[in-house]
Amino acid sequence: MRGERVLAWARTHRVNVGLFLLLVVAVVATALVIADPGEPQPVVRTATVTRGDVTATVTASGNAESSLRTPVSFEESGTVTSVAVEPGDTVKLGQVLATIDDAEAQAQLRTAEAQLAGAQAALDQARAGPSEVQSQRDQLAITQAEQALADARAAVTAAEKQLELDRAATQTTIDDAKTQLANDDEATALAVENAEEKLEVDTKTQNTLVEQAEAEEEAACGGSTADSDDDSVDCTRAKLATENAKNTRAAVLLADEQAIETAKQNREATLDRGRQAVTQAEQARADTLLKGQTAIETSKQAVTKAEGDLAAAKLTAEENAHPRTPEEIAQAQATVDSAQVEVDRARRAVEQTALKAPQAGVVLAVNGEVGEYANGQGSGESAGADAEGGDSAASDAATSAGDGFVVIANLSELAVTAEIPEADAAKLELGQRATISFPATGATATGTVTRKNPQSTVSNDVVHYPVTISLETAPPGVGVGATANVSITTGTATGVLKAPTQAITTTGDRSTVTVRRDGVDAVVPVRIGVSGPAETEIISGVSEGDVLVLPTPAAATGGSGFPRTGGR
């Protein structure tokens, strides 16, 4: 009986356990269906902490440019007479690029050569010592100087005589003008007086005629009656005669008054011409006498010069009559040397009117044309001041193709300038190594950071800084403007603990990893070092061989609630 109860309890217990397990499975299945119906469960990925090398890089893209741009300018200023190249032309070392007017430079060269010839002749004479030929030359020079002095003195005498003649002639002209003015004054005054007298005579005569006509009218009309036709005709005739007499008087007197006015006007005009003639004669005298006095002074100066030339000729003859001392010969040699220097300088000036390429390369810019005035380096600050050695990519002049009259690029020296975000630019330093690839040709090259431009730009609210990487060797087929991708190494750690960068979660200054030990995951803080795009150095917090849990794909793609991963 007891055994049956035990068996019954055992069967009941097994049934209860089975039902409980079924219930648990159902609950779990239901929870899974409710939690994520229709989606597979994520696969947990892991990685192992290993030991090796870690490299940190900054990547960007840019365009190839010449790192050796040479701005070439004329040494001196002048008008451009020819331009032999255009942008894009390939030039050789020493090739003529352009020219300026060389007329002045050629004239200076001829002058310098003449001075050198004179100095050389003097040196030859000093070395040769006295000679009969030189003595004859010196005597001839003295004779010529004496003749020049005599001619100068004669010119003074002639100028003084001419001045006296001019003084008399100009005074005569003035006197004649004054005499003519006096005569004109008298003649025109007489003409006015005659006209006034005629008016007075005509006034008396015409008044008398009018009075006579009025008397005859009175006689003809005073005793006549209306019945006498003859008397009436006589009266009418007398009145008409009186009227005619008055009209004649008015006309005659008007003509006389006009004659007086004309005489007065003629007098003023004539006297004005006379006074002007006197003034002109006086001015001409002053000018002539000044000219004569100037001629005398000039002739006297010529006398002084001729006296000096004569004294110099005599002194030269005296010196040439005696042998030159070694010191004098040395001085003559120094004069020749100095003159030769001037000739060499003048020849260089002529050569420099032709602008030549200081290097082989490609013309980037031509900043001038025929007929324009080109400023040379000698006239002030010039963009071509560094043309002889060229400018590197780190130079401001290399960023502008407008420096110099002609700008030449050396395609064997290339660089790439890339815009780097502010956060990455802070990691860059001059001299850091870089790898450069050119997608169009598939070529690659290595280089170094040679310039960090402190002037930033802003694009899409992100601050960028231009950074220039100079290539060690330009790959074949890569020219100016080619697109380039650069990868700059900012740090390297060798033989260190490392883990995938995505296994590290960094929030602020705190970094953590998830370590799986004995099937249990735990978040462990770590201190990281060099961080690259794929792997990051772990300085402390884990050991070699530790298994790290990588973020799920959802977390890796920025799922909600997960902090960012990766190191600094």
Side-chain angles (χ1 to χ4, degrees):
M1 191 71 171
R2 180 181 175 85
E4 290 178 355
R5 285 196 297 267
V6 170
L7 290 174
W9 179 86
R11 285 195 298 268
T12 302
H13 179 72
R14 285 195 296 268
V15 171
N16 290 337
V17 170
L19 291 173
F20 177 76
L21 291 175
L22 289 174
L23 179 61
V24 170
V25 171
V27 170
V28 171
T30 301
L32 292 174
V33 170
I34 294 174
D36 193 6
E39 291 187 8
Q41 291 300 304
V43 178
V44 177
R45 300 178 301 150
T46 61
T48 302
V49 178
T50 60
R51 187 172 294 276
D53 299 336
V54 177
T55 301
T57 60
V58 170
T59 58
S61 62
N63 297 98
E65 62 184 22
S66 173
S67 62
L68 184 60
R69 296 184 180 185
T70 304
V72 189
S73 295
F74 291 101
E75 290 295 326
E76 300 296 335
S77 301
T79 302
V80 179
T81 55
S82 70
V83 178
V85 294
E86 296 179 350
D89 288 352
T90 300
V91 297
K92 299 178 180 179
L93 174 65
Q95 179 176 335
V96 175
L97 308 175
T99 60
I100 57 175
D101 188 4
D102 66 348
E104 182 178 354
Q106 291 286 5
Q108 292 176 350
L109 176 58
R110 289 192 295 270
T111 300
E113 289 174 339
Q115 293 174 346
L116 175 59
Q120 186 62 53
L123 175 60
D124 294 341
Q125 177 60 35
R127 288 173 174 171
S131 66
E132 182 62 26
V133 173
Q134 185 61 45
S135 177
Q136 292 176 356
R137 289 177 179 172
D138 291 341
Q139 186 56 50
L140 177 60
I142 292 174
T143 301
Q144 291 175 341
E146 289 174 340
Q147 183 60 49
L149 177 58
D151 292 343
R153 288 172 175 169
V156 171
T157 300
E160 290 174 342
K161 290 182 178 179
Q162 184 61 47
L163 179 60
E164 292 302 321
L165 293 175
D166 291 341
R167 182 178 284 110
T170 54
Q171 185 59 52
T172 298
T173 301
I174 293 173
D175 293 342
D176 290 345
K178 289 181 176 180
T179 299
Q180 183 63 44
L181 177 60
N183 293 337
D184 291 341
D185 185 22
E186 182 178 354
T188 55
L190 180 60
V192 172
E193 182 179 351
N194 291 337
E196 291 174 344
E197 290 179 354
K198 185 174 184 303
L199 174 61
E200 183 179 354
V201 171
D202 288 343
T203 298
K204 293 179 179 180
T205 301
Q206 293 301 321
N207 287 338
T208 300
L209 293 176
V210 169
E211 291 174 357
Q212 291 176 352
E214 290 175 344
E216 292 176 356
E217 178 185 351
E218 178 66 23
C221 299
S224 63
T225 62
D227 295 335
S228 174
D229 292 334
D230 291 338
D231 291 342
S232 177
V233 171
D234 290 339
C235 178
T236 300
R237 289 177 179 174
K239 289 181 178 180
L240 180 60
T242 302
E243 184 65 25
N244 289 338
K246 290 181 179 180
N247 291 337
T248 299
R249 180 180 64 182
V252 170
L253 296 184
L254 177 61
D256 289 344
E257 290 173 351
Q258 291 177 344
I260 293 173
E261 186 62 28
T262 300
K264 289 181 178 180
Q265 291 177 354
N266 289 339
R267 170 180 171 80
E268 290 301 323
T270 301
L271 294 182
D272 286 343
R273 288 193 297 270
R275 296 187 190 100
Q276 185 176 3
V278 172
T279 301
Q280 290 176 346
E282 291 173 343
Q283 184 61 47
R285 172 182 170 83
D287 294 342
T288 301
L289 297 184
L290 177 60
K291 182 178 179 181
Q293 190 61 46
T294 301
I296 292 174
E297 294 299 326
T298 302
S299 298
K300 288 182 177 180
Q301 292 175 1
V303 169
T304 301
K305 182 180 181 302
E307 290 173 343
D309 292 343
L310 178 58
K314 291 180 178 180
L315 181 60
T316 299
E318 180 66 22
E319 291 177 351
N320 292 337
H322 300 85
R324 292 290 186 270
T325 64
E327 291 78 9
E328 291 173 332
I329 294 176
Q331 180 61 39
Q333 181 63 60
T335 302
V336 170
D337 295 341
S338 178
Q340 183 63 58
V341 170
E342 293 302 320
V343 169
D344 294 341
R345 182 181 290 110
R347 285 175 179 167
R348 285 196 301 273
V350 172
E351 294 173 355
Q352 289 168 352
T353 60
L355 186 64
K356 298 181 180 179
Q359 66 180 45
V362 175
V363 176
L364 293 183
V366 178
N367 300 314
E369 59 185 24
V370 174
E372 291 184 347
Y373 189 80
N375 289 320
Q377 297 184 39
S379 64
E381 184 177 345
S382 171
D386 297 327
E388 184 175 350
D391 293 332
S392 69
S395 143
D396 286 335
T399 65
S400 172
D403 295 337
F405 188 86
V406 176
V407 181
I408 301 175
N410 186 344
L411 297 186
S412 65
E413 300 285 344
L414 291 182
V416 174
T417 297
E419 296 289 334
I420 308 296
E422 183 177 22
D424 290 336
K427 306 174 185 177
L428 301 183
E429 296 179 358
L430 298 183
Q432 288 176 333
R433 302 288 296 172
T435 301
I436 304 96
S437 62
F438 298 92
T441 61
T444 60
T446 58
T448 56
V449 176
T450 55
R451 177 177 172 80
K452 293 175 61 179
N453 194 326
Q455 183 63 44
S456 65
T457 59
V458 178
S459 177
N460 295 327
D461 295 329
V462 178
V463 177
H464 293 80
Y465 288 90
V467 175
T468 300
I469 301 94
S470 295
L471 278 63
E472 293 179 352
T473 304
V478 175
V480 173
T483 300
N485 297 323
V486 299
S487 177
I488 304 170
T489 300
T490 59
T492 301
T494 304
V496 298
L497 292 179
K498 62 178 182 176
T501 299
Q502 62 177 323
I504 303 169
T505 300
T506 300
T507 303
D509 294 333
R510 184 173 182 271
S511 298
T512 61
V513 296
T514 301
V515 181
R516 174 168 292 182
R517 293 189 179 100
D518 300 328
V520 178
D521 296 344
V523 176
V524 177
V526 293
R527 187 160 65 93
I528 63 176
V530 175
S531 180
E535 295 179 315
T536 297
E537 174 192 6
I538 299 181
I539 300 175
S540 64
V542 296
S543 301
E544 184 177 359
D546 283 348
V547 177
L548 307 183
V549 178
L550 302 180
T552 63
T557 56
S560 173
F562 286 89
R564 69 179 183 87
T565 62
R568 56 192 175 193

